[in-house]
Amino acid sequence: MTAFQSRGWLIAALLIALSAVFPLGDGTNAISIQMVSIVYVVGVLYLGAGLQGKRFGGWLGSLLPLSFAAVVTLTMIAHSPGVAGAANWGFWLKAIGLWLAAWMMVDMIANSGDGRRTSRWRNLAPMILFGATLLLLWEWLVVGFGISPIILLPPSAIGQAVVAQANTLATDFVWTFLHEVLLGWLIGCGSGFLVALVADRVPFLRRGLLPLGNVVSALPIVGIAPIMIWWFTYDWPSKTAVVVAMTFFPMLVNTVAGLAASGSLERDLMRSYGASYWPTLVSLRLPAAMPFIFNGLKINSTLAMIGAIVAEYFDGPTIGMGFRINTQAALSQTDIVWAEIAVAMVAGSLFYGLIAVIERAVTFWHPSYRRA
């Protein structure tokens, strides 16, 4: 345990212990302040002392149940009468202390273990746990301060809306993601890649297309979306066209840059073997360009989702994630709006992650993947 982690655990324990002096909220509570504080202090001290000197896998079994119990307890306190919307110092000191303890936990997991056996878990666990702590902090702040649902919903309410509107969300997701995002991404990235190969072969075309790509990338989506609707009707093809326009030039620019990334020594070696343009392209330049190509694919995975949702704002069928967000926001149905946003966020993240996994399998030789 480092000095930073030791101080973090100590501060967390002191904050939680100090919270016993203050009330949880303005009303009476069924849970004793002193008992809750004692449980928290004992738990934090146990975690701080128990993690020291133990291996990564040894304390995980006792750490997760205790952490889960503390989180559930504080969340129940936040939603209890007299605390929800009127949380006092007793609640906020507990929340800050528990969040700081969770931060120290993530830091210890990220820096624990070595070798191949735990490296994959150490790469994944901090991301998941830190994201969970942010959601918890969001929940406690919204419920504790009693923020209006019109302004911001807690994650628990968003989760309830996702379950309640599952059929509507599934229909909108299939329409937006499969018809518009995925198809537009495939067409835009595929055409950008092919045009990049032609531009690489024809120098004057490369010099003319790249500046044009910078100009087109600066066009506002709210400006080209109505034009695409006039050209390609009000159905999904117009939204797909917006996605194609947004993803074409990033793929073109990244592919052209990647094709020029191979070293001069390698190209001279291929020429010394008598290799023509196409064997050099397939054996040397395309493999060297793969990190750039996948960079364009990952950038476009997020641009495609944004483009499709924004394009659905400009009229069209009464279906789709962008349409639902637009109409329900006008009706102040914020739970459905946030549910659609959550589905879009998860879908975009999984899409990006899938491309990143494929990238790692294809470009395993890249220096960024080499182990220390």
Side-chain angles (χ1 to χ4, degrees):
M1 180 181 294
T2 64
F4 170 75
Q5 294 166 352
S6 300
R7 287 193 295 267
W9 288 111
L10 179 60
I11 294 173
L14 292 176
L15 288 174
I16 295 172
L18 182 62
S19 67
V21 181
F22 301 94
L24 290 171
D26 292 342
T28 58
N29 301 281
I31 303 176
S32 170
I33 300 175
Q34 288 77 10
M35 291 302 296
V36 171
S37 296
I38 291 173
V39 171
Y40 274 20
V41 171
V42 171
V44 170
L45 291 177
Y46 169 78
L47 292 179
L51 296 183
Q52 188 173 6
K54 288 192 174 184
R55 294 182 60 83
F56 175 72
W59 46 264
L60 187 59
S62 60
L63 169 63
L64 292 182
L66 184 59
S67 303
F68 182 77
V71 166
V72 171
T73 303
L74 191 61
T75 304
M76 292 175 60
I77 292 175
H79 286 272
S80 63
V83 177
N88 211 318
W89 281 104
F91 173 81
W92 293 120
L93 289 174
K94 286 180 175 65
I96 297 172
L98 185 58
W99 192 82
L100 181 59
W103 181 13
M104 294 301 102
M105 183 200 315
V106 173
D107 186 70
M108 295 188 73
I109 293 176
N111 294 284
S112 63
D114 51 32
R116 295 176 179 270
R117 185 173 65 87
T118 59
S119 60
R120 182 174 298 179
W121 166 250
R122 286 192 296 113
N123 290 334
L124 186 62
M127 176 186 66
I128 297 175
L129 294 177
F130 186 71
T133 59
L134 292 181
L135 290 178
L136 286 171
L137 189 61
W138 178 0
E139 178 84 16
W140 297 337
L141 289 172
V142 173
V143 176
F145 283 114
I147 298 176
S148 171
I150 299 297
I151 299 175
L152 187 63
L153 283 177
S156 58
I158 297 174
Q160 293 173 2
V162 170
V163 174
Q165 303 291 332
N167 293 333
T168 301
L169 295 174
T171 303
D172 291 340
F173 169 78
V174 170
W175 180 267
T176 299
F177 189 82
L178 297 183
H179 286 83
E180 301 167 2
V181 174
L182 190 57
L183 183 58
W185 180 82
L186 289 172
I187 296 175
C189 292
S191 57
F193 176 78
L194 294 177
V195 172
L197 294 180
V198 176
D200 180 73
R201 187 64 170 164
V202 184
F204 81 89
L205 187 60
R206 180 173 65 252
R207 290 192 294 267
L209 276 177
L210 293 184
L212 181 61
N214 295 329
V215 173
V216 174
S217 299
L219 292 176
I221 183 176
V222 294
I224 64 174
I227 298 175
M228 293 298 178
I229 292 177
W230 299 336
W231 289 357
F232 298 99
T233 73
Y234 288 89
D235 212 335
W236 62 264
S238 60
K239 285 72 176 179
T240 303
V242 173
V243 175
V244 172
M246 292 187 65
T247 57
F248 174 80
F249 282 102
M251 189 65 187
L252 171 66
V253 172
N254 278 276
T255 304
V256 170
L259 292 174
S262 57
S264 58
L265 292 178
E266 290 85 354
R267 292 194 297 269
D268 291 340
L269 180 62
M270 294 295 293
R271 282 193 292 267
S272 68
Y273 288 150
S276 60
Y277 173 81
W278 291 108
T280 303
L281 178 68
V282 174
S283 301
L284 172 64
R285 302 182 66 203
L286 274 180
M290 281 301 163
F292 293 85
I293 294 174
F294 276 102
N295 187 50
L297 293 175
K298 290 187 293 185
I299 292 174
N300 285 339
S301 66
T302 56
L303 287 178
M305 180 66 73
I306 296 172
I309 291 177
V310 173
E312 288 178 347
Y313 273 61
F314 297 92
D315 207 355
T318 57
I319 191 174
M321 302 176 74
F323 166 80
R324 196 76 55 193
I325 292 173
N326 190 25
T327 56
Q328 297 305 315
L331 298 174
S332 297
Q333 298 291 332
T334 55
D335 55 343
I336 302 178
V337 173
W338 279 104
E340 292 281 0
I341 293 174
V343 172
M345 179 186 66
V346 172
S349 300
L350 292 177
F351 190 24
Y352 184 97
L354 177 61
I355 299 173
V357 170
I358 298 175
E359 177 189 16
R360 179 149 192 164
V362 174
T363 62
F364 60 91
W365 47 266
H366 196 264
S368 61
Y369 296 128
R370 295 174 184 170
R371 299 184 183 274

